[in-house]
Amino acid sequence: GGTARGGEDVSQPQYLWVHVLPVNDPPTFGQPGGVLVLERGGTHVVEQFVTSISPGSGNEGGQTLTFTVVLVAGYAEMFVLGENETEPMVMVSPDGTLRF
């Protein structure tokens, strides 16, 4: 490049194609509010606890979404199903239904 030693700094237009690959767009969802229940109120099912569930943009449609529930330390025992159970039983299904 440049004009030193008789060079030229102008060339014919050069064309190239840029192919942009899709990226992993994050899923989106809404959670309209909390749930108020009485202590020792038994098993609860709350439909549409999570709403507007989308795996992301159009190219993400084949993905299956799952929800992970994390219980705050000190409150997990509130969600154990029975006297002989030791693991908390709280889940949100892929359709947004909360069960506990």
Side-chain angles (χ1 to χ4, degrees), residues 17-42:
W17 293 97
V18 176
H19 184 74
V20 179
L21 298 174
V23 296
N24 188 12
D25 296 313
T28 59
F29 61 89
Q31 200 283 310
V35 176
L36 179 63
V37 296
L38 297 174
E39 185 176 354
R40 297 188 184 116

Side-chain angles (χ1 to χ4, degrees), residues 27-29 53-56 63-67 93-94:
T28 59
F29 61 89
I53 301 167
S54 170
Q63 297 183 21
T64 301
L65 302 181
T66 59
F67 293 94
S93 62

Side-chain angles (χ1 to χ4, degrees), residues 23-78:
V23 296
N24 188 12
D25 296 313
T28 59
F29 61 89
Q31 200 283 310
V35 176
L36 179 63
V37 296
L38 297 174
E39 185 176 354
R40 297 188 184 116
T43 301
H44 295 281
V45 176
V46 182
E47 294 181 1
Q48 297 182 348
F49 178 73
V50 178
T51 60
S52 305
I53 301 167
S54 170
S57 66
N59 64 332
E60 306 289 342
Q63 297 183 21
T64 301
L65 302 181
T66 59
F67 293 94
T68 302
V69 177
V70 178
L71 299 174
V72 177
Y75 292 94
E77 66 276 1
M78 293 172 48

